[in-house]
Amino acid sequence: MPLLALSLLLASCGADLEGLIKNYLSDDPDTSGRAERELLVLGEEAVPALVDAFESATDREKLGRLLANFGPSAIEPLVGFVEGENVGLAADAVNALAEMGEDAVGPLIVALESGSARHADLAVTLGRIGEPAWSPMLELFDSTDNPALKGILAATFFASGDTGLAEMLMPRIEDPELGDALLSAVVAHTPPDELAGKVDGETAWRILSFIPLEPLVGPVSELVPQFHEEIIEELGAMASSRLEQSSFESDLVRMHLSGVAGEWSRAASHGSGPFNTLVVSFDVERANPESADLLRVALLHHGGLYLMYLIDGAEALEQKEPGRARRLAALAGEVTGVIEGLMAAPG
C-alpha cells in the first residue's frame, strides 16, 4: 500500500475508533473482519478506545481476543480490571490476559508482589498461562513473607495438573519450611509409582500424616502400596519412635502400614483414634470458621482413607471371618455417616 494511502487510512481509522469497534462487534463476518484488520493497523493508538469498550461492552470475549494481539500496551489496563471490584469484568480480563501468554507474566507477577487484594485472580491468570509463569511464580513463592499469597500460589500449582510443574516442585517438598504447601501438588500430579521411587522416609511420613486437600484420597491410597519395602520399614520405625511425640501422626501412618499388610483389625484400630480426635475437634471448633474449615478438610481426607481400609477389610474378611467383617462394615457405616454429613454441610 502506498505511504499516502496508508496515512489516509490511519487518519480515517483514528477519527472513527468508536465506529470501527462497533463494526468489529457486528454479527456480520465481513464487517467485523474489515474492522478488525483496520484496528490492528492502528496498533497501540487503538488500545485506549478498545479498553474503554472492553470495560463497558457486553461482548468482552471478542474484544479480549482482539486486545490480546496488542501485547504489552493492553496488559496494564487489563491487570487493573483484574484488581478491580467488578467481578464479571475481572473474570473477562483474566481470559484476555491468559490469551496473551508470556507477555503478561511479568506485569502479573509485579501486581502480585504489590500486595493486591485480588491476588487469587492474578494467580489464576498466571496458572492459565502455564509453563512460562511457573519459574517466576516459584521465585515469588520463595521470596514472599505473605502466608496468604504462598497459599494462593500453592493452590494454583495444585490446580494446574502440569506434570512438568510437579517435576519443578519435587526438590522443594523436602524442605519442611516450604514443602507442605507444595506437597499436595506433587502428590496430585505425579504418577504414584514414579513418586514412590523418589521420596525418602521423612517425605513419605508427611504425605501420610499432613492435612492435604480432600481430592488427594485417591492418589494417596494408590501411592502407599507402591512404597519400597525399605520405606515401609523406615515408616514403621518412625511410627514407633515418635508415638509419644505425636500419637496422632503415628497412628495415621500405622493405619496405612497395617492396611498395606492386610492387618485389617489393626488398621481399623489405628485409624479410629485420629478419626475420633478430628470429629471431636471439629465439633468444638464449629463456631470458629477458619479452624472448622481446616478440620473439615482433614476429616474428609483422613476419614476417606480410613473408610477405604474399613471397606477393604470387610470385603477381605467376608468369607474367612464374617464376624470381624461385620464389625468393620458397621464401623464403615458410622464413618460414612460422618463424611456424608460433612459433604452436605455448606462450605
Side-chain angles (χ1 to χ4, degrees):
M1 179 183 292
L3 183 59
L4 178 59
L6 179 59
S7 299
L8 290 172
L9 175 62
L10 290 173
S12 170
C13 291
D16 192 22
L17 277 170
E18 288 186 9
L20 280 175
I21 293 170
K22 182 179 179 181
N23 287 342
Y24 171 68
L25 294 173
S26 166
D27 292 332
D28 179 67
D30 291 335
T31 301
S32 178
R34 282 195 302 273
E36 180 179 5
R37 290 190 293 273
E38 293 183 25
L39 286 164
L40 289 171
V41 168
L42 280 169
E44 291 188 9
E45 183 182 337
V47 170
L50 285 167
V51 169
D52 288 344
F54 183 88
E55 184 174 11
S56 59
T58 53
D59 192 356
R60 294 198 191 105
E61 182 180 354
K62 192 172 183 180
L63 283 165
R65 288 199 303 270
L66 181 58
L67 278 167
N69 291 283
F70 292 90
S73 61
I75 290 172
E76 185 176 346
L78 287 172
V79 170
F81 291 146
V82 175
E83 295 182 291
E85 296 182 0
N86 185 323
V87 176
L89 179 59
D92 291 327
V94 164
N95 293 333
L97 287 164
E99 288 285 328
M100 294 181 180
E102 190 169 0
D103 285 342
V105 170
L108 287 165
I109 291 290
V110 169
L112 276 173
E113 289 175 323
S114 70
S116 167
R118 299 296 294 272
H119 51 293
D121 291 321
L122 296 169
V124 165
T125 311
L126 287 161
R128 291 269 302 278
I129 292 170
E131 191 276 330
W134 298 145
S135 289
M137 291 174 76
L138 282 167
E139 290 173 8
L140 179 57
F141 182 92
D142 290 343
S143 63
T144 184
D145 294 324
N146 183 342
L149 179 54
K150 279 187 182 291
I152 289 294
L153 290 169
T156 306
F157 297 147
F158 179 88
S160 75
D162 187 331
T163 54
L165 173 62
E167 283 292 319
M168 296 173 70
L169 297 177
M170 191 71 193
R172 295 161 183 264
I173 65 173
E174 295 178 6
D175 180 354
E177 295 296 319
L178 300 176
D180 281 350
L182 306 176
L183 201 54
S184 58
V186 172
V187 174
H189 304 309
T190 305
D193 57 342
E194 182 181 333
L195 182 58
K198 291 184 176 180
V199 299
D200 57 14
E202 286 287 348
T203 305
W205 176 279
R206 285 164 51 214
I207 290 173
L208 301 188
S209 61
F210 80 137
I211 300 177
L213 299 177
E214 179 271 333
L216 290 181
V217 170
V220 171
S221 66
E222 293 173 19
L223 173 65
V224 179
Q226 309 260 12
F227 283 137
H228 297 312
E229 185 177 342
E230 295 82 4
I231 294 289
I232 296 290
E233 291 176 356
E234 186 177 353
L235 287 170
M238 291 165 65
S240 298
S241 65
R242 299 181 183 183
L243 191 55
E244 292 184 5
Q245 177 186 350
S246 175
S247 59
F248 180 86
E249 291 186 1
S250 292
D251 279 347
L252 285 173
V253 172
R254 293 198 296 175
M255 173 187 76
H256 288 289
L257 298 181
S258 299
V260 170
E263 299 170 348
W264 304 114
S265 293
R266 285 181 180 272
S269 176
H270 291 314
S272 175
F275 181 74
N276 289 327
T277 297
L278 288 169
V279 170
V280 171
S281 300
F282 178 77
D283 287 339
V284 169
E285 294 292 335
R286 282 181 184 272
N288 184 347
E290 189 171 339
S291 296
D293 286 346
L294 185 64
L295 288 163
R296 180 174 176 273
V297 170
L299 267 167
L300 286 170
H301 178 77
H302 293 304
L305 290 167
Y306 182 37
L307 179 60
M308 177 194 70
Y309 289 123
L310 292 171
I311 293 172
D312 287 351
E315 291 177 349
L317 297 173
E318 186 174 7
Q319 300 300 323
K320 296 182 294 183
E321 300 182 57
R324 288 174 63 200
R326 284 194 294 272
R327 287 196 293 275
L328 291 175
L331 188 52
E334 295 175 15
V335 173
T336 298
V338 173
I339 291 175
E340 287 178 345
L342 289 167
M343 294 180 71

